[in-house]
Amino acid sequence: MDASEFLRLYRSGRKTFANVVMVGIELNNIDLHKVDFSHALMNKASLAGTKLCRANLVGADLSYANLSDADLHRANLRHANLKGADLRRTDLRDADLRGANLSWANLQGALLVGALMTNTNLYNVKK
């Protein structure tokens, strides 16, 4: 799915995009509050500055995605793949990161207060 098709569907009221394939999509600085991207394939996506608070990202592949300055507070990222993701200054307060892969991710300036991180892979994270 490309960005224009996604935005058309989202603006028409659709909030569920489970299992969608959006590799390399650019959705910067958009309000996607409570969107469901569970098990979506979004590696190398650019979501910088995007509001994804309370989003469902369970099992999503966001490897090497740009999520810098994004709002992911209270997002469900259980078992998500965030390997090599740019999470600089990302708001992850109270996010569920249990079982997520954050290896090689950049977490400089990220807010992680209250985040659930049991069994989270933090190998070689930049902080």
Side-chain angles (χ1 to χ4, degrees), residues 73-103:
H73 82 271
R74 297 183 66 192
N76 189 344
L77 292 148
R78 285 187 82 165
H79 304 289
N81 183 6
L82 293 154
K83 179 180 181 179
D86 184 351
L87 296 163
R88 288 174 296 151
R89 300 172 307 279
T90 299
D91 185 350
L92 290 160
R93 289 173 299 143
D94 300 313
D96 189 345
L97 292 159
R98 290 177 288 176
N101 180 5
L102 292 170
S103 62

Short mmCIF file of all heavy atoms in Angstrom, two decimals, residues 73-103:
data_model
loop_
_atom_site.label_atom_id
_atom_site.label_comp_id
_atom_site.label_asym_id
_atom_site.label_seq_id
_atom_site.Cartn_x
_atom_site.Cartn_y
_atom_site.Cartn_z
N HIS A 73 3.70 7.09 23.09
CA HIS A 73 3.35 6.81 24.48
C HIS A 73 2.08 5.96 24.53
O HIS A 73 1.17 6.13 23.73
CB HIS A 73 3.25 8.08 25.32
CG HIS A 73 1.97 8.83 25.25
ND1 HIS A 73 1.72 9.81 24.33
CD2 HIS A 73 0.85 8.73 26.00
CE1 HIS A 73 0.52 10.29 24.50
NE2 HIS A 73 -0.04 9.65 25.51
N ARG A 74 2.13 4.97 25.40
CA ARG A 74 1.06 3.98 25.61
C ARG A 74 0.81 3.11 24.38
O ARG A 74 -0.24 2.47 24.26
CB ARG A 74 -0.22 4.66 26.09
CG ARG A 74 -0.04 5.33 27.46
CD ARG A 74 -1.29 5.94 27.98
NE ARG A 74 -2.27 4.89 28.26
CZ ARG A 74 -3.54 5.13 28.50
NH1 ARG A 74 -4.00 6.36 28.51
NH2 ARG A 74 -4.36 4.16 28.75
N ALA A 75 1.76 3.06 23.45
CA ALA A 75 1.61 2.19 22.27
C ALA A 75 1.92 0.76 22.65
O ALA A 75 2.73 0.49 23.55
CB ALA A 75 2.54 2.64 21.16
N ASN A 76 1.28 -0.18 21.97
CA ASN A 76 1.53 -1.60 22.20
C ASN A 76 2.51 -2.08 21.12
O ASN A 76 2.13 -2.22 19.96
CB ASN A 76 0.23 -2.40 22.15
CG ASN A 76 0.43 -3.83 22.59
OD1 ASN A 76 1.56 -4.33 22.66
ND2 ASN A 76 -0.65 -4.51 22.88
N LEU A 77 3.75 -2.31 21.52
CA LEU A 77 4.83 -2.74 20.64
C LEU A 77 5.33 -4.13 21.01
O LEU A 77 6.48 -4.46 20.75
CB LEU A 77 5.98 -1.73 20.69
CG LEU A 77 5.67 -0.36 20.09
CD1 LEU A 77 6.43 0.74 20.80
CD2 LEU A 77 5.97 -0.36 18.61
N ARG A 78 4.47 -4.94 21.63
CA ARG A 78 4.89 -6.29 22.03
C ARG A 78 5.37 -7.06 20.82
O ARG A 78 4.70 -7.10 19.79
CB ARG A 78 3.75 -7.05 22.70
CG ARG A 78 3.50 -6.56 24.12
CD ARG A 78 2.50 -7.43 24.79
NE ARG A 78 3.21 -8.62 25.28
CZ ARG A 78 2.71 -9.46 26.16
NH1 ARG A 78 1.51 -9.28 26.63
NH2 ARG A 78 3.41 -10.50 26.56
N HIS A 79 6.53 -7.65 20.96
CA HIS A 79 7.15 -8.49 19.93
C HIS A 79 7.38 -7.76 18.61
O HIS A 79 7.53 -8.40 17.56
CB HIS A 79 6.33 -9.77 19.71
CG HIS A 79 6.13 -10.55 20.97
ND1 HIS A 79 7.15 -11.23 21.58
CD2 HIS A 79 5.03 -10.73 21.74
CE1 HIS A 79 6.70 -11.80 22.68
NE2 HIS A 79 5.42 -11.50 22.81
N ALA A 80 7.40 -6.43 18.63
CA ALA A 80 7.70 -5.66 17.42
C ALA A 80 9.19 -5.75 17.11
O ALA A 80 10.02 -5.88 18.00
CB ALA A 80 7.28 -4.21 17.60
N ASN A 81 9.52 -5.65 15.83
CA ASN A 81 10.91 -5.64 15.40
C ASN A 81 11.31 -4.20 15.11
O ASN A 81 10.87 -3.62 14.12
CB ASN A 81 11.11 -6.51 14.15
CG ASN A 81 12.56 -6.57 13.73
OD1 ASN A 81 13.44 -6.08 14.40
ND2 ASN A 81 12.80 -7.20 12.59
N LEU A 82 12.12 -3.63 15.99
CA LEU A 82 12.61 -2.27 15.85
C LEU A 82 14.13 -2.27 15.68
O LEU A 82 14.80 -1.30 16.01
CB LEU A 82 12.21 -1.44 17.07
CG LEU A 82 10.70 -1.20 17.20
CD1 LEU A 82 10.31 -0.97 18.64
CD2 LEU A 82 10.27 -0.05 16.32
N LYS A 83 14.67 -3.34 15.15
CA LYS A 83 16.11 -3.47 14.95
C LYS A 83 16.60 -2.31 14.08
O LYS A 83 16.07 -2.05 13.00
CB LYS A 83 16.45 -4.79 14.28
CG LYS A 83 17.93 -4.97 14.03
CD LYS A 83 18.24 -6.28 13.36
CE LYS A 83 19.73 -6.43 13.15
NZ LYS A 83 20.05 -7.72 12.51
N GLY A 84 17.61 -1.60 14.59
CA GLY A 84 18.24 -0.52 13.84
C GLY A 84 17.35 0.70 13.65
O GLY A 84 17.69 1.59 12.88
N ALA A 85 16.23 0.77 14.35
CA ALA A 85 15.31 1.91 14.19
C ALA A 85 15.89 3.17 14.81
O ALA A 85 16.63 3.13 15.79
CB ALA A 85 13.97 1.58 14.81
N ASP A 86 15.53 4.31 14.23
CA ASP A 86 15.90 5.61 14.76
C ASP A 86 14.78 6.06 15.69
O ASP A 86 13.70 6.43 15.24
CB ASP A 86 16.08 6.62 13.62
CG ASP A 86 16.56 7.98 14.10
OD1 ASP A 86 16.61 8.21 15.33
OD2 ASP A 86 16.88 8.82 13.24
N LEU A 87 15.04 5.96 16.99
CA LEU A 87 14.06 6.32 18.02
C LEU A 87 14.53 7.52 18.83
O LEU A 87 14.14 7.70 19.98
CB LEU A 87 13.81 5.12 18.93
CG LEU A 87 13.18 3.90 18.25
CD1 LEU A 87 13.35 2.65 19.09
CD2 LEU A 87 11.73 4.16 17.94
N ARG A 88 15.36 8.36 18.22
CA ARG A 88 15.86 9.54 18.93
C ARG A 88 14.70 10.45 19.32
O ARG A 88 13.84 10.74 18.49
CB ARG A 88 16.85 10.32 18.08
CG ARG A 88 18.19 9.62 17.92
CD ARG A 88 19.10 10.34 16.97
NE ARG A 88 18.47 10.31 15.64
CZ ARG A 88 18.66 11.25 14.73
NH1 ARG A 88 19.43 12.28 14.97
NH2 ARG A 88 18.07 11.15 13.55
N ARG A 89 14.69 10.84 20.58
CA ARG A 89 13.69 11.76 21.14
C ARG A 89 12.26 11.24 21.02
O ARG A 89 11.29 12.00 21.08
CB ARG A 89 13.82 13.15 20.51
CG ARG A 89 15.18 13.81 20.73
CD ARG A 89 15.35 15.09 19.94
NE ARG A 89 15.06 14.93 18.51
CZ ARG A 89 15.94 14.43 17.62
NH1 ARG A 89 17.13 14.05 18.00
NH2 ARG A 89 15.59 14.33 16.33
N THR A 90 12.09 9.95 20.84
CA THR A 90 10.76 9.35 20.73
C THR A 90 10.13 9.20 22.11
O THR A 90 10.79 8.81 23.07
CB THR A 90 10.86 7.98 20.02
OG1 THR A 90 11.39 8.20 18.72
CG2 THR A 90 9.52 7.31 19.91
N ASP A 91 8.86 9.51 22.21
CA ASP A 91 8.13 9.38 23.46
C ASP A 91 7.58 7.95 23.55
O ASP A 91 6.64 7.59 22.85
CB ASP A 91 6.98 10.39 23.48
CG ASP A 91 6.22 10.40 24.81
OD1 ASP A 91 6.46 9.50 25.64
OD2 ASP A 91 5.38 11.30 24.99
N LEU A 92 8.22 7.15 24.39
CA LEU A 92 7.82 5.76 24.62
C LEU A 92 7.31 5.56 26.05
O LEU A 92 7.31 4.45 26.56
CB LEU A 92 8.99 4.82 24.34
CG LEU A 92 9.40 4.69 22.87
CD1 LEU A 92 10.82 4.17 22.73
CD2 LEU A 92 8.42 3.82 22.13
N ARG A 93 6.85 6.63 26.67
CA ARG A 93 6.34 6.52 28.04
C ARG A 93 5.17 5.55 28.09
O ARG A 93 4.27 5.61 27.26
CB ARG A 93 5.88 7.88 28.57
CG ARG A 93 7.01 8.84 28.86
CD ARG A 93 6.49 10.21 29.22
NE ARG A 93 5.72 10.75 28.09
CZ ARG A 93 4.62 11.49 28.23
NH1 ARG A 93 4.15 11.78 29.42
NH2 ARG A 93 3.98 11.94 27.15
N ASP A 94 5.23 4.65 29.05
CA ASP A 94 4.17 3.66 29.29
C ASP A 94 3.90 2.75 28.10
O ASP A 94 2.84 2.11 28.02
CB ASP A 94 2.87 4.34 29.74
CG ASP A 94 3.06 5.12 31.03
OD1 ASP A 94 3.66 4.57 31.97
OD2 ASP A 94 2.61 6.29 31.09
N ALA A 95 4.82 2.68 27.15
CA ALA A 95 4.67 1.78 26.00
C ALA A 95 4.94 0.34 26.43
O ALA A 95 5.71 0.09 27.36
CB ALA A 95 5.63 2.17 24.88
N ASP A 96 4.33 -0.59 25.75
CA ASP A 96 4.54 -2.02 26.01
C ASP A 96 5.55 -2.53 24.99
O ASP A 96 5.23 -2.71 23.82
CB ASP A 96 3.23 -2.78 25.91
CG ASP A 96 3.35 -4.22 26.37
OD1 ASP A 96 4.49 -4.72 26.52
OD2 ASP A 96 2.30 -4.86 26.57
N LEU A 97 6.78 -2.73 25.45
CA LEU A 97 7.88 -3.19 24.59
C LEU A 97 8.30 -4.61 24.95
O LEU A 97 9.39 -5.04 24.59
CB LEU A 97 9.08 -2.24 24.72
CG LEU A 97 8.87 -0.85 24.14
CD1 LEU A 97 9.85 0.14 24.74
CD2 LEU A 97 9.00 -0.88 22.64
N ARG A 98 7.45 -5.34 25.65
CA ARG A 98 7.82 -6.69 26.07
C ARG A 98 8.06 -7.59 24.86
O ARG A 98 7.23 -7.67 23.95
CB ARG A 98 6.73 -7.29 26.97
CG ARG A 98 6.66 -6.60 28.33
CD ARG A 98 5.55 -7.14 29.18
NE ARG A 98 4.26 -6.68 28.62
CZ ARG A 98 3.08 -7.04 29.11
NH1 ARG A 98 3.02 -7.88 30.13
NH2 ARG A 98 1.98 -6.58 28.57
N GLY A 99 9.23 -8.21 24.85
CA GLY A 99 9.59 -9.13 23.78
C GLY A 99 9.98 -8.44 22.48
O GLY A 99 10.21 -9.11 21.47
N ALA A 100 10.07 -7.12 22.47
CA ALA A 100 10.44 -6.38 21.25
C ALA A 100 11.94 -6.49 20.99
O ALA A 100 12.74 -6.69 21.90
CB ALA A 100 10.03 -4.92 21.37
N ASN A 101 12.31 -6.35 19.74
CA ASN A 101 13.71 -6.34 19.33
C ASN A 101 14.13 -4.90 19.07
O ASN A 101 13.73 -4.30 18.08
CB ASN A 101 13.91 -7.19 18.08
CG ASN A 101 15.36 -7.21 17.62
OD1 ASN A 101 16.24 -6.68 18.27
ND2 ASN A 101 15.60 -7.82 16.47
N LEU A 102 14.96 -4.36 19.98
CA LEU A 102 15.49 -3.01 19.82
C LEU A 102 17.00 -3.04 19.55
O LEU A 102 17.66 -2.03 19.69
CB LEU A 102 15.22 -2.19 21.08
CG LEU A 102 13.76 -1.84 21.37
CD1 LEU A 102 13.61 -1.25 22.75
CD2 LEU A 102 13.22 -0.90 20.33
N SER A 103 17.51 -4.18 19.14
CA SER A 103 18.95 -4.27 18.90
C SER A 103 19.38 -3.26 17.84
O SER A 103 18.67 -3.03 16.87
CB SER A 103 19.34 -5.70 18.48
OG SER A 103 18.72 -6.06 17.27
#
